Amino acid sequence: ELADARVDSAARSVRLGKLAVQAPRLRLERDAAKRWSFDRWRVAAAGATLTPEPTASAPASATAAPTAPWSLAIGNFSVDDGRVAFTDGALAVPVALDLSDISVALAGFALDAPKSAPFRLHARVAVPSGPTGAAVGSGFAGSVDARGELGAIVAGVPGSAKAALVLKDLPLHLLDPYLDAMFDIDVQKAQTSFRGDVAYAAGAAGARFDVRGDATIDDFRANSTAGDRGAPRRALARLGDGAAGRQLLGWKTLSLRGIEVAVAPGTATQIAVAETALGDFFARVVLDETGRLNLQDVTRAAPAASAASGVSTLAPVVRFGPIGVVGGRIAFADRFVKPNYSANLSELSGRLGSFSSQGAGPGQPPLLAEIELRGRVEGTASLEINGQVNPLARPLALDVHAKVRDLELPPLSPYAVKYAGYGIDRGKMSVDLAYVVAPDGQLTATNKIVLKQLAFGDKVEGAPASLPVKLAVALLADRHGVIDLDLPVSGSINDPQFSLGGLIWKVIGNLIAK
């Protein structure tokens, strides 16, 4: 519906009192060759000829005068009950989603007006329907609501914009293929919500973005994709496959309060989160046959930015307020030792204090944050960790104390076989650990170990090492069958040959030799 339209060709202006669009439909597609569907709309007219360029004898510029650009003003623009079907087949795993119930309202907008125009936007986001009409993954639907102001258009782009934005239960997992360049994981599910303010402003040096608000990511599940990239469609097909062995990360709720993000040309990106809460989380940690942790391969190496790319090479400044965790579980597997070892940490709850990627002043290392963590090992032994650490500090620095009480020893036989040549038949262990890593990489640690009723089995033929452990037990145990050891360990974690387990067993070997 178009009302009160005024077009002045001499003044090159268009004034529309009202423009309303009811129930528009759009299918937006990109194929494997990265060609958008609207590219096919631009077809050269049959028999069209190019206008010859002016010659020296008849210069066109002699009579042509520069023309002013057309201006456009709209009193009220609205879209109601719109729908967009989006498909991107240019990725290894295609992306598809539907935007429905789209409504847009824009008032007092003009291309050449210096003042901003108020707008509001609403849309629902959902998984597209399947080929039979049944919704694939029905229920994974969210909504987008925005209300703000749109600035004047400069070179086809808004000069500024700001909005109060509310995202509710967005199925972020539908966009997982776009994350493949950064993360080597397959996001199965991630219901994402956000409430806050966003702002954009164009400038001569570039655009500035600001984001403030609160966010949640609920019901998150992600699998490892080692050796799986390029496989057929995964995200929807595996929602119910029960492939617990492939699950890498997961949690019920992740809440981020007080988010502040500022991106400005020529300056380091600023990222801050005032408070974080993580509940009912799971992580699978695997040390592979080469001694490498699987979590080291979650993020992909970013390509180096060239100097001409315009991308800031300044490291982002990251600040985190307190982080609370509750109901955590970690499944650990060590494939480096033969036979393999596995353990479960459960009932993990605790808190990490505030930390930052920057120090208190120029040239100063980042401050360490207080950490408190409690849980259970294999459902029986108690675990307690406290001290100071900063996950963002480079180089690594920490001062951590840990206690484990009454850990059953037979499951640790793979390590005893590797370093001592004997398995463990029975026994319990309690440990008090204190580890300090200085910014220069120097490690100073104490390992106070109490072993009760320790009994080794028969010697394992072909084991890498063989120590007289049965004699050592007989010599070290008191009359109650208790062995009390104090094993100091030191070294540099920057040494390529550094191995904590090897160092500890070397100390034990020296103790037995004495």
Side-chain angles (χ1 to χ4, degrees), residues 91-284:
L91 306 170
V93 178
V95 171
L97 56 86
D98 279 351
L99 299 178
S100 60
D101 297 337
I102 300 174
S103 63
V104 179
L106 179 65
F109 175 77
L111 289 177
D112 52 355
K115 65 177 183 179
S116 299
F119 78 93
R120 68 176 185 270
L121 165 71
H122 170 79
R124 289 178 59 82
V125 184
V127 180
S129 299
T132 61
V136 179
S138 58
F140 299 128
S143 63
V144 178
D145 286 278
R147 186 183 297 266
E149 295 180 351
L150 187 65
I153 302 295
V154 179
V157 179
S160 64
K162 60 181 181 180
L165 181 63
V166 178
L167 310 178
K168 185 177 180 181
D169 294 333
L170 293 187
L172 189 64
H173 48 274
L174 295 182
L175 305 180
D176 171 59
Y178 291 113
L179 304 177
D180 288 352
M182 297 180 291
F183 302 101
D184 202 7
I185 59 175
D186 173 21
V187 179
Q188 302 280 288
K189 190 179 180 184
Q191 299 296 105
T192 306
S193 299
F194 174 83
R195 180 183 294 271
D197 299 314
V198 296
Y200 157 85
R208 176 184 176 91
F209 298 89
D210 291 280
V211 178
R212 295 172 180 265
D214 303 329
T216 60
I217 303 177
D218 296 333
D219 296 330
F220 180 87
R221 294 199 302 268
N223 286 352
S224 172
T225 58
D228 191 37
R229 285 292 175 209
R233 176 68 175 164
R234 303 183 310 270
L236 295 177
R238 287 183 178 159
L239 280 175
D241 67 357
R246 297 179 64 250
Q247 186 175 356
L248 180 67
L249 296 170
W251 58 75
K252 184 176 181 180
T253 178
L254 171 63
S255 173
L256 304 170
R257 297 183 59 188
I259 299 173
E260 295 185 11
V261 179
V263 181
T267 63
T269 299
Q270 304 282 326
I271 302 173
V273 180
E275 186 178 4
T276 304
L278 177 63
D280 294 336
F281 69 93
F282 168 81
R284 186 176 303 280

Side-chain angles (χ1 to χ4, degrees), residues 56-72:
S57 59
S61 59
T63 57
T67 57
W70 281 83
S71 63
L72 171 66

Side-chain angles (χ1 to χ4, degrees), residues 25-56:
R25 298 291 183 264
L26 172 65
R27 179 172 295 279
L28 187 60
E29 298 175 323
R30 187 168 71 153
D31 61 21
K34 299 185 178 181
R35 294 172 302 190
W36 290 100
S37 52
F38 51 78
D39 288 339
R40 297 191 292 270
W41 301 349
R42 298 193 292 265
V43 180
T49 59
L50 297 177
T51 302
E53 295 185 3
T55 63

Side-chain angles (χ1 to χ4, degrees), residues 4 23 30 59 61 79 105 122 129 173 215 219 233 242 246 277 293 355 358 368 370 390 404 407 416 449 458 483 487:
D4 193 17
R30 187 168 71 153
S61 59
V79 174
H122 170 79
S129 299
H173 48 274
D219 296 330
R233 176 68 175 164
R246 297 179 64 250
L293 282 173
F355 60 93
Q358 277 190 338
L368 301 182
E370 299 289 335
N390 187 331
V404 176
L407 177 66
I449 304 175
D458 296 331
I483 300 175
L487 308 175

Side-chain angles (χ1 to χ4, degrees), residues 8 53 69 86 173 214 225 271-272 299 323-324 329 333 344 352 373 383-384 472 506:
D8 187 335
E53 295 185 3
F86 172 78
H173 48 274
D214 303 329
T225 58
I271 302 173
T299 58
I323 299 176
R329 183 168 63 92
N344 287 307
L352 178 64
L373 185 64
L383 168 68
E384 181 179 335
K506 183 177 180 180

